[in-house]
Amino acid sequence: MELNSAHLPREAAISPAGVPAIPLADLAWFRERSYRLLSQSFLYPDDDVVQTARGLAAELGEEHTIEDELAISAEFRHLCSTWRDIDEPTVKLLQTRYVSLFAATAGGVPCPPYEAMYMAARGLSDAVVLASVERDYATAGLYGTSTKKQSPDHISMETEFLAILCGREAQAWELEKTQQGIDLLEKESKFIETHLGLWLRAFGHDVRRADPGGVYADIAAAALAFVTHDRDLAEELAASPSDEPEETHEQG
Amino acid sequence: MSKGDSAPAAAETQAVAGDASETLVLLCGSLVRRDADLDPSELAHWIVDSNARTRAVIVPDLCSNPGAVSDTAESATRMLVLGLCSSEYREPEFQRSARKAGIDPLAIAVVALGSYCAAPEQDGDASGMAKTLLAAAVAGVQAYPGSQPEDIRPYVVGDDQRISRRALFTMPPLAYRPVVSIDRKVCAASTGCDQCVQACPEGALTNVDGAIQIARRSCVSCGLCQSACPTSAAQLPGQTVSQLEAAVGELLSSSALDPDVPRAILFVCRKSASALDSLSRSSSPTAPQWLPLSVPCSGFVSPAVILQSLAHGAAAVGIVGCGSYCRYNQQEQTQGKIDYCQKVLAALSLPTSAVAFFDAALGASSLADSLSSPLEGSQRADALTSGLSFSGPSAAASALTALAANDEAIPALDHPFSPLGLVKIDADGCTGCGSCAQACPTDALDLAEGDTVTLTFNPALCIGCAQCVSVCPEKVVEVSRDTDLARLRDGPERLYEDEAIRCQSCDSVVASAAMLKRIEAALTEDGRPSDKTMKTITRLCTDCRGTAVPFGRAPAPDSD
């Protein structure tokens, strides 16, 4: 399965350095790219994936103004620099590690990157978890395609979904559709609360145990740090506005 | 920053010390302009000489220049201490600058040196006090182990104000605050403990199936859960127990102050900090002995913290709080804890004024009058010099026994805010089932099975939570909020002892004799079973009943 998203604009008007007023659209685009980088990081690192991740990391590395505003941990900055500076031997190493960590081996899958595998411990069946995730995708108007086979509860799918929501949110801010932007912030934090946030810590723990000090342990740590922060941020921003009626369009 | 505006500012940034230090101390150059004996250069050299892990920089007009943090921090910088003119500083901007430098937002300590040390007519050792406060702040941040992703959350600055929808098109200014963290390895929630849940003023904590759940957005970082937690599982990152211990320890032991001058710890609620600023502008300076230390809330300061501070040499302990304006409704709690400590001191024939509450809500002049009064307390000649600990119930107990070292007979003190409790058991009704020991979150109750079944009670570990009362099937347990120094001195005591009946198959303990009598009575309520069945049940342990007694072939326990 692959989520079909529109080709989203990538250029964001960053305020001059030192000016604290950052447009929410720029913030949302920054988050969209961050989620896309995380999504790519948990796909098999073939040439296309590596090239895309390298490009995203380079773009994010230029966003100092936004990064300085957020207490994104050192792990996430490390993730960006890892992808920016990745070389061929490291790619080969990543490919080997990806298979041994996330794909089937003789002893099973050490770190299954699937929500259903972790939610089973809470008594939820695979079918219920998959249905719940797909329902959220469908509610957002997203359906699976047959070009790539990927389970909907794969970590790269869940982070890609959040990237799409952030992209839509950015467009809403750009079009001054305030309520739509707030609704999308709420959907983002809700999705993290009900899906990704429930199993990411346990998944990261498994990766650290299976690949101590390895690149994938760093990636999992970065994912946990970013997603934890982003859930709080989305929740806080969504709760910020007053109850006054929306005046944007009437005044415009 | 309100005084001395006409004086010339320090010329330029001045760095003191090596450059591979993890703790950066930034001092406002404007401190030199205040009408007191404060020399930032002297402070910088002293802090660097006394702590090898620090680098000190004097920044001209630092209070108005938060960007100096990122300009002066280096790649090795992990912690930050700001020596500012006032507690009213631009926190979000300093945080932002620190974030830019890669410094953990929770590894920042601020000392309002200008307010605390430079009151106009203060005749004390302002320089020594400033050095001591700086050293305590450095000790506090250096005791911080670092944060996990879950330990902080962003919030919109000025969240008490309503933000218009139009304002949302730009990101509102953000700052970060800590969220309580629960160490599940030591948390006693699985036994039913909910001390943190009860202490939380915002309902942010719940005990769900034996695990504490945190509603992150509801946490207001007051730290009351940490103060209430009997196992130190709840910790407020950036204000942890170990950080508080390090800071208080430094205040009491710093070599920068005259050892013959009594030292008093003044815990200042962060919401009341500005009240001390106004004191520095008034004509009523504080008594020089008070050493202020910022805490999240007045309720954060437990009796254990107060008594430990006194036992380790504090001549007095004061708490500055919001009084009736406390947004977490801690006025009654704080007053209760103060009252308890005063009654303890009275019982020990020590001056009760060595523990005091100062209500910032009454205004600066009232606060000034209270704080400028000379202290009645004096530093104990036999003060403890090591073992300062604010963790767990034993902290209060060990402080009490230290304070009472020379006292013989002291009556037990029954007080609703006693941090310690006493368990009583009606031994005639007890069956030694051990439910109370299993439920006790602090292991104050312990059931041992050997030749006898013995229930012991350690009064130094009891917090009076009464979980043992609620789980006792025989309803024979009572708990009171008593502090009994005699029993604390005596140590663990035996509450119940009975013969242990052993399994005739494997020799492990089946139960106490009283328990077996109770079982026999229960079995015969609806007609007596056969003797063989009765003996099988009462003389074989549950494991052996399952393996050694196949259906239809029950061995005769008394066949020997």
Side-chain angles (χ1 to χ4, degrees), chain B residues 109-371:
Chain B
V110 177
V111 190
L113 294 175
S115 301
Y116 295 165
C117 311
E121 282 114 33
Q122 183 165 289
D123 55 359
D125 179 8
S127 178
M129 184 172 176
K131 289 172 186 172
T132 302
L133 297 182
L134 270 182
V138 168
V141 294
Q142 288 184 342
Y144 181 50
S147 62
Q148 297 295 313
E150 295 92 339
D151 289 346
I152 59 169
R153 66 164 281 119
Y155 69 97
V156 173
V157 175
D159 56 0
D160 292 339
Q161 302 167 12
R162 292 160 71 84
I163 297 168
S164 73
R165 288 176 182 274
R166 183 166 285 279
L168 260 182
F169 288 112
T170 56
M171 188 173 82
L174 293 176
Y176 288 83
R177 62 179 162 216
V179 175
V180 64
S181 113
I182 306 287
D183 183 352
R184 297 194 191 283
K185 289 177 191 160
V186 294
C187 179
S190 61
T191 68
C193 178
D194 64 352
Q195 296 293 303
C196 57
V197 176
Q198 291 180 34
C200 180
E202 300 292 329
L205 302 173
T206 46
N207 185 340
V208 179
D209 298 331
I212 299 298
Q213 305 293 325
I214 306 167
R216 293 170 57 78
R217 191 153 195 279
S218 299
C219 178
V220 291
S221 317
C222 63
L224 298 178
C225 50
Q226 175 177 303
S227 177
C229 179
T231 62
S232 299
Q235 294 281 331
L236 184 66
Q239 293 265 9
T240 63
V241 171
S242 57
Q243 287 182 271
L244 193 63
E245 289 169 354
V248 170
E250 190 61 41
L251 292 179
L252 294 175
S253 64
S254 168
S255 60
L257 285 172
D258 183 345
D260 295 329
V261 175
R263 303 177 190 197
I265 310 290
L266 188 64
F267 294 103
V268 184
C269 160
R270 66 182 171 203
K271 303 281 184 192
S272 306
S274 58
L276 291 193
D277 289 333
S278 56
L279 284 189
S280 70
R281 295 190 288 268
S282 74
S283 58
S284 300
T286 61
Q289 305 97 316
W290 287 114
L291 298 170
L293 188 64
S294 178
V295 290
C297 173
S298 63
F300 181 80
V301 184
S302 66
V305 172
I306 297 171
L307 296 171
Q308 279 278 333
S309 299
L310 292 172
H312 282 80
V317 173
I319 300 175
V320 178
C322 310
S324 57
Y325 290 100
C326 177
R327 64 186 295 186
Y328 310 134
N329 297 318
Q330 288 299 301
Q331 184 186 21
E332 185 184 340
Q333 300 285 322
T334 306
Q335 296 278 18
K337 292 170 190 173
I338 295 273
D339 183 65
Y340 164 79
C341 291
Q342 288 176 335
K343 286 194 163 53
V344 165
L345 295 178
L348 298 173
S349 304
L350 296 171
T352 57
S353 60
V355 180
F357 178 75
F358 304 107
D359 190 344
L362 297 179
S365 60
S366 170
L367 193 59
D369 289 345
S370 305
L371 287 172

Side-chain angles (χ1 to χ4, degrees), chain B residues 58-69:
Chain B
I58 301 162
V59 179
D61 210 8
L62 172 64
C63 298
S64 305
N65 182 20
V69 173

Side-chain angles (χ1 to χ4, degrees), chain A residues 20 22-24 27 68-71 77 173 176 178-179 182 201 224-225 228-229 232-233 235-237 239-244 246 248 251, chain B residues 96 99-102 105 148-150 152-156 159 161-174 176-177 179 216-217:
Chain A
I22 292 173
L24 276 179
L27 176 66
D68 289 347
E69 285 300 307
L70 309 176
R77 293 179 185 179
W173 297 127
E176 299 197 0
T178 317
Q179 192 56 54
I182 293 168
R201 168 163 281 280
L224 178 64
T228 302
H229 179 277
D232 289 336
L233 179 64
E235 192 179 50
E236 189 70 17
L237 291 176
S240 292
S242 67
D243 294 324
E244 68 192 56
E246 189 170 350
T248 310
Q251 290 179 344
Chain B
R96 179 185 299 124
R99 290 201 299 273
K100 190 175 177 182
Q148 297 295 313
E150 295 92 339
I152 59 169
R153 66 164 281 119
Y155 69 97
V156 173
D159 56 0
Q161 302 167 12
R162 292 160 71 84
I163 297 168
S164 73
R165 288 176 182 274
R166 183 166 285 279
L168 260 182
F169 288 112
T170 56
M171 188 173 82
L174 293 176
Y176 288 83
R177 62 179 162 216
V179 175
R216 293 170 57 78
R217 191 153 195 279

Side-chain angles (χ1 to χ4, degrees), chain A residues 187-207:
Chain A
K187 281 180 185 165
E188 292 154 17
S189 64
K190 184 76 175 170
F191 184 78
I192 298 171
E193 184 184 340
T194 53
H195 292 291
L196 193 54
L198 290 179
W199 63 283
L200 196 53
R201 168 163 281 280
F203 170 69
H205 180 263
D206 284 351
V207 176

Side-chain angles (χ1 to χ4, degrees), chain A residues 29-198:
Chain A
W29 284 125
F30 175 84
R31 295 167 53 231
E32 186 260 353
R33 282 173 211 169
S34 302
Y35 276 121
R36 282 174 55 206
L37 177 60
L38 289 175
S39 175
Q40 295 293 315
S41 299
F42 287 108
L43 291 173
Y44 179 77
D46 58 22
D47 289 347
D48 284 348
V49 167
V50 170
Q51 197 172 344
T52 306
R54 191 182 280 147
L56 286 165
E59 286 178 36
L60 285 166
E62 293 167 5
E63 307 263 20
H64 291 303
T65 308
I66 296 178
E67 193 179 273
D68 289 347
E69 285 300 307
L70 309 176
I72 298 172
S73 68
E75 290 95 333
F76 192 75
R77 293 179 185 179
H78 181 58
L79 170 72
C80 292
S81 65
T82 298
W83 280 116
R84 273 198 307 271
D85 306 333
I86 197 163
D87 55 15
E88 197 57 34
T90 311
V91 171
K92 294 290 180 200
L93 177 69
L94 275 186
Q95 290 172 343
T96 307
R97 295 304 292 150
Y98 189 93
V99 172
S100 64
L101 290 170
F102 306 129
T105 63
V109 183
C111 317
Y114 302 99
E115 180 182 340
M117 299 295 285
Y118 288 91
M119 298 311 289
R122 300 188 183 206
L124 292 177
S125 71
D126 290 10
V128 170
V129 173
L130 292 175
S132 172
V133 178
E134 286 187 277
R135 181 199 56 201
D136 285 354
Y137 296 164
T139 304
L142 297 164
Y143 297 92
T145 66
S146 57
T147 54
K148 282 188 181 177
K149 295 292 182 188
Q150 193 69 276
S151 175
D153 65 334
H154 191 280
I155 188 169
S156 65
M157 293 292 290
E158 295 196 354
T159 45
E160 176 70 12
F161 177 63
L162 284 162
I164 290 172
L165 292 182
C166 289
R168 290 178 178 178
E169 181 206 328
Q171 290 176 319
W173 297 127
E174 286 173 347
L175 297 170
E176 299 197 0
K177 292 182 177 176
T178 317
Q179 192 56 54
Q180 192 179 333
I182 293 168
D183 289 347
L184 282 158
L185 280 167
E186 287 173 350
K187 281 180 185 165
E188 292 154 17
S189 64
K190 184 76 175 170
F191 184 78
I192 298 171
E193 184 184 340
T194 53
H195 292 291
L196 193 54
L198 290 179

